Amino acid sequence: GAVVSQHPSWVICKSGTSVKIECRSLDFQATTMFWYRQFPKQSLMLMATSNEGSKATYEQGVEKDKFLINHASLTLSTLTVTSAHPEDSSFYICSVGRQVRETQYFGPGTRLLVL
Amino acid sequence: KNEVEQSPQNLTAQEGEFITINCSYSVGISALHWLQQHPGGGIVSLFMLSSGKKKHGRLIATINIQEKHSSLHITASHPRDSAVYICAVEGGGADGLTFGKGTHLIIQP
């Protein structure tokens, strides 16, 4: 299966700062990557679909100006949480799939704590 | 939007018991995934299925498209099976997954 890495695995920051999270597909080229977040004791929620070379597609209720996604290459997508606030504290996870209708491979996730 | 319901939410069982976790969804799908989330948060994909039944080791997943229902079974359960099991569905196109809230499974020795 595919190997997906995320960096960092943990980040603690002050309110108002921006945080960048990287998602890398290590062994295949991913034209599409998905970003999810999970609040404590809640289900994962799709935030956005990251498309290589074009704009990301955001789910309803997700602010595109706050959660900046850059998918500049076939192996890297970045999610930047701009001007982070405590309510943005969550578990952020990305996934890739070779194609729609195939197994999704998940990154290990990034825990963000905004103080 | 698809509504994904899982049951039970929490399940505690003794080692060796046969485990069943259920998932139902409201809108037709192209595929259903069963995922395992470990305490640290990491997620492993167990199955992806669009019809019938799949088996991998002690795990069995079934889906009934007409009834919009899937089950995950664990035979001869073991404490290392303790985790959160998540059902997720995907529609057509390149949409991401819609997740259930998960079933927190604890297998006691």
Side-chain angles (χ1 to χ4, degrees):
Chain A
V3 178
V4 181
S5 70
Q6 278 186 244
H7 178 79
S9 55
W10 269 97
V11 58
I12 301 173
C13 68
K14 292 182 178 180
S15 184
T17 59
S18 294
V19 176
K20 181 185 284 188
I21 302 170
E22 294 183 348
C23 175
R24 291 184 184 272
S25 171
L26 300 182
D27 57 350
F28 80 95
Q29 296 177 329
T31 55
T32 303
M33 294 184 180
F34 303 98
W35 286 97
Y36 305 90
R37 64 180 168 187
Q38 183 181 39
F39 293 107
K41 298 187 185 294
Q42 295 189 28
S43 59
L44 285 141
M45 296 289 291
L46 176 66
M47 297 177 66
T49 302
S50 172
N51 304 299
E52 187 268 336
S54 64
K55 292 182 179 179
T57 304
Y58 290 82
E59 294 300 299
Q60 192 172 11
V62 178
E63 300 174 59
K64 62 180 180 180
D65 294 330
K66 181 171 180 63
F67 298 98
L68 301 179
I69 292 174
N70 186 331
H71 193 155
S73 78
L74 290 171
T75 58
L76 174 65
S77 175
T78 60
L79 169 68
T80 301
V81 184
T82 62
S83 187
H85 287 89
E87 57 266 30
D88 298 323
S89 299
S90 187
F91 182 63
Y92 293 86
I93 194 165
C94 68
S95 77
V96 304
R98 296 177 188 273
Q99 300 177 31
V100 172
R101 302 185 187 181
E102 290 203 5
T103 300
Q104 291 289 308
Y105 298 94
F106 291 84
T110 297
R111 293 201 180 276
L112 171 64
L113 176 62
V114 184
L115 302 176
Chain B
K1 183 181 176 179
N2 224 327
E3 301 292 332
V4 181
E5 298 288 337
Q6 281 186 241
S7 63
Q9 290 186 336
N10 296 283
L11 177 58
T12 299
Q14 295 298 120
E15 183 174 357
E17 287 188 36
F18 181 81
I19 304 299
T20 295
I21 299 171
N22 296 300
C23 174
S24 61
Y25 50 93
S26 58
V27 178
I29 60 172
S30 57
L32 182 142
H33 300 249
W34 279 104
L35 311 171
Q36 181 188 54
Q37 186 171 29
H38 294 283
I43 294 176
V44 174
S45 180
L46 300 175
F47 295 103
M48 191 279 296
L49 64 166
S50 54
S51 66
K53 175 180 176 179
K54 286 189 176 181
K55 183 176 188 295
H56 181 71
R58 294 181 295 106
L59 302 177
I60 304 167
T62 64
I63 188 169
N64 185 317
I65 295 295
Q66 287 74 29
E67 295 186 2
K68 297 185 177 63
H69 180 270
S70 175
S71 293
L72 175 69
H73 305 286
I74 305 175
T75 61
S77 59
H78 191 275
R80 63 175 175 268
D81 297 326
S82 299
V84 176
Y85 292 84
I86 302 171
C87 168
V89 301
E90 61 177 299
D95 297 330
L97 300 175
T98 301
F99 298 85
K101 292 186 177 181
T103 295
H104 189 187
L105 174 65
I106 298 174
I107 303 297
Q108 295 177 333

